[in-house]
Amino acid sequence: MPHADAGSETSSGGAPPAAKLTLLTLTAMVVGSMVGAGVFSLPRRFAQETGVAGALIAWTVAGFGMLMLAFVFQTLAVRRPDLDAGVYAYAKAGFGEYLGFFSAFGYWASACVGNVTYWVLIMSTIGAIAPALGDGDTALAIVLSSVGLWGFFLLIRRGVKEATAINRIVTVAKLVPIIVFIILALFCLKPSVFADNFGGADYAGSLFNQVRGTMLATVFVFLGVEGASVYSRHAKRREDVGRATLLGFLSVFAIFASVTIVSYGILPMAEIAELRQPSMAGVLEAAVGTWGKAFVSVGLIISVLGAYLAWTLMAAEVLFVAAKDEDMPRFLGRSSGDDVPVPALLMTTALSQVILVVTAFSDDAFNFALDLTSALSLIPFLLAAGFAVKIALRPQAENVAGRSTRRELAVGVLATLYTAFLLYAAGLKFVLVSFIIYAPATFLFIKARREQNRRLFSPAEAVICAVSVIGAVIGAVALAVGWIEL
């Protein structure tokens, strides 16, 4: 792969040096991208699906599965240090240019949809004292969110170094209210309420269905575990990519599981399930009074803005590196003298703007955007895990030095099985909606191929394209006739 900055546009005409990030900053990128809107919505989301027993099983499954994915990214960062922008590059190296393109686009689209959840939740939080903002999906909320979208575009446009420095500060600041929530909830925990919530409510169904119902929520909050690998071209030392991934994951997993479990000891799960988002604020209000709600609300806004910054950087980075590797149109491979991929950043902000408007037509804007974000990310994760299996089985064929280990093979297989289960848990609705987003992206692939005067599709690529188009058509028809709803 050519150096990511080759051919960048600068004021002096030369290639700007890439900003070099330390282990601490890379870890902050992982934590900053994972700790965002999701953690503040966990109490209600879990209470709608399961009780304490199901939550414990769900976190065990999700934690183990995502740990396997974290190990996959760590292994691939070491085994294939020549590959930048992790998720996209691994899919391409393992399964060809077209699936690599789909992985890049899917991961990017997932980040854009995820960014919308941040603004919806901010407006919903403020909506508790400003009814005109509703649940974050009113006309005024969309206008104010749009102002925020483009304001951050201008901030990041100033340069990667400034943006990552802000993210590191915000990452520390936003963890404080979450940790305080956990401590206060533990002190206020009512054993009798916790015991009543243990088995789940009548509406929760079987234990298997309870666990399945929480899976997309756990995917959403763990998105970002791959953050260091996505931004690998900026690392001072390549081995720091894997270390940052594991450090960030383990820290955040402990926080997420704790937030969920302690909430069951404050209110009956039926009441938690009806709380306004961010539900963490409602739980703390029930525990310590009105000041608790205000405290969490302020923490949420800081947290979400930090996560939005990290995700916008990562989304633009994926498009940029894909364009430099000639898998996206050339205009997306341009960057400024401050090492900012401006066209990719502009396209990222524009798609987030479109999705933001679409949420106005959803019955539950936040949960729809959350689940769609998770579903879009599953194909890129599945392909990355599959590539790890290929390397473990045939290391020499995949240009990897040294012998693979049984541990690497086991990790790859377990991560692949876990991601496949998540696709099943997502359900047909979100798979079809994902196709609707994936299929039109092929026009970008075609444009890139035409710029290189290459054949548009190989036979295998034509089959993949046909499957995606058929899936998109079925999804569109299902939406039109009401088989599935947003």
Side-chain angles (χ1 to χ4, degrees):
M1 177 182 293
H3 189 276
D5 291 319
S8 300
E9 295 181 354
T10 69
S11 57
S12 62
K20 293 301 180 182
L21 306 180
T22 64
L23 173 62
L24 179 62
T25 302
L26 285 169
T27 303
M29 289 292 291
V30 176
V31 175
S33 56
M34 291 174 74
V35 180
V39 63
F40 293 91
S41 67
L42 284 175
R44 172 181 165 179
R45 186 62 191 265
F46 265 72
Q48 288 176 331
E49 302 289 350
T50 187
V52 177
L56 289 171
I57 295 172
W59 280 119
T60 300
V61 172
F64 179 78
M66 279 295 177
L67 181 61
M68 293 302 102
L69 275 172
F71 280 141
V72 161
F73 289 116
Q74 181 191 39
T75 298
L76 293 177
V78 173
R79 285 287 197 168
R80 292 297 302 269
D82 56 308
L83 299 178
D84 288 324
V87 177
Y88 144 72
Y90 300 147
K92 178 184 176 183
F95 303 100
E97 293 182 3
Y98 193 40
L99 284 179
F101 165 83
F102 265 158
S103 181
F105 184 86
Y107 184 82
W108 170 75
S110 171
C112 293
V113 178
N115 282 346
V116 171
T117 66
Y118 298 153
W119 293 110
V120 171
L121 198 56
I122 287 176
M123 293 301 149
S124 176
T125 302
I126 301 174
I129 56 175
L133 298 180
D135 290 325
D137 54 0
T138 65
L140 178 60
I142 290 174
V143 170
L144 293 178
S145 296
S146 300
V147 172
L149 277 175
W150 294 102
F152 265 80
F153 168 79
L154 296 176
L155 170 67
I156 300 171
R157 175 73 174 78
R158 290 175 57 86
V160 169
K161 290 182 180 179
E162 291 83 352
T164 52
I166 293 172
N167 179 72
R168 185 164 54 184
I169 295 170
V170 170
T171 296
V172 175
K174 70 186 180 180
L175 289 177
V176 173
I178 300 173
I179 293 172
V180 170
F181 168 86
I182 295 170
I183 294 173
L184 290 176
L186 279 172
F187 274 107
C188 299
L189 189 143
K190 304 170 186 173
S192 60
V193 174
F194 189 84
D196 289 342
N197 287 334
F198 194 84
D202 293 337
Y203 62 79
S206 69
L207 190 59
F208 176 80
N209 286 334
Q210 291 180 42
V211 172
R212 177 187 172 188
T214 63
M215 282 294 99
L216 282 183
T218 61
V219 173
F220 180 81
V221 296
F222 279 132
L223 289 178
V225 66
E226 73 293 340
S229 67
V230 169
Y231 229 62
S232 57
R233 76 183 178 99
H234 293 281
K236 278 188 176 181
R237 297 182 301 175
R238 190 71 187 204
E239 58 268 27
D240 285 346
V241 173
R243 293 171 182 169
T245 298
L246 289 180
L247 283 173
F249 168 79
L250 293 174
S251 301
V252 171
F253 172 69
I255 292 172
F256 289 164
S258 298
V259 166
T260 306
I261 300 303
V262 298
S263 298
Y264 285 108
I266 305 299
L267 291 169
M269 60 181 288
E271 293 185 28
I272 300 176
E274 296 299 323
L275 288 175
R276 178 191 183 90
Q277 292 289 23
S279 53
M280 187 194 291
V283 171
L284 195 58
E285 181 181 30
V288 301
T290 305
W291 74 268
K293 180 177 182 179
F295 179 73
V296 169
S297 297
V298 172
L300 175 140
I301 293 174
I302 295 174
S303 175
V304 166
L305 291 179
Y308 178 83
L309 173 62
W311 270 106
T312 303
L313 283 168
M314 287 195 293
E317 183 76 2
V318 170
L319 283 185
F320 175 79
V321 176
K324 299 305 292 184
D325 213 21
E326 299 186 332
D327 292 310
M328 288 282 182
R330 289 170 184 161
F331 76 92
L332 293 172
R334 300 175 187 146
S335 66
S336 69
D338 294 317
D339 196 31
V340 179
V342 178
L345 179 63
L346 178 61
M347 189 167 165
T348 297
T349 307
L351 180 60
S352 294
Q353 178 70 76
V354 171
I355 299 297
L356 183 62
V357 174
V358 171
T359 60
F361 301 95
S362 173
D363 292 335
D364 188 338
F366 178 78
N367 278 333
F368 169 74
L370 184 153
D371 288 339
L372 182 58
T373 300
S374 301
L376 284 168
S377 70
L378 294 181
I379 295 297
F381 280 179
L382 182 63
L383 293 173
F387 181 47
V389 173
K390 287 189 68 176
I391 281 182
L393 291 174
R394 302 176 59 194
Q396 293 181 342
E398 299 297 335
N399 299 318
V400 175
R403 295 182 178 180
S404 61
T405 64
R406 291 182 178 179
R407 173 188 174 278
E408 290 177 350
L409 178 60
V411 165
V413 170
L414 289 171
T416 302
L417 291 174
Y418 172 67
T419 315
F421 170 70
L422 291 176
L423 278 170
Y424 164 75
L428 185 60
K429 169 185 174 179
F430 287 102
V431 172
L432 291 176
V433 174
S434 296
F435 272 126
I436 295 175
I437 296 175
Y438 269 109
T442 299
F443 287 110
L444 291 174
F445 183 80
I446 291 173
K447 178 175 174 58
R449 284 287 176 93
R450 284 179 173 170
E451 288 175 348
Q452 303 161 46
N453 294 318
R454 294 176 58 189
R455 180 182 179 182
L456 295 184
F457 297 105
S458 68
E461 290 171 341
V463 172
I464 297 170
C465 181
V467 170
S468 67
V469 170
I470 292 172
V473 170
I474 294 174
V477 171
L479 280 173
V481 301
W483 295 340
I484 59 176
E485 297 179 351
L486 298 180

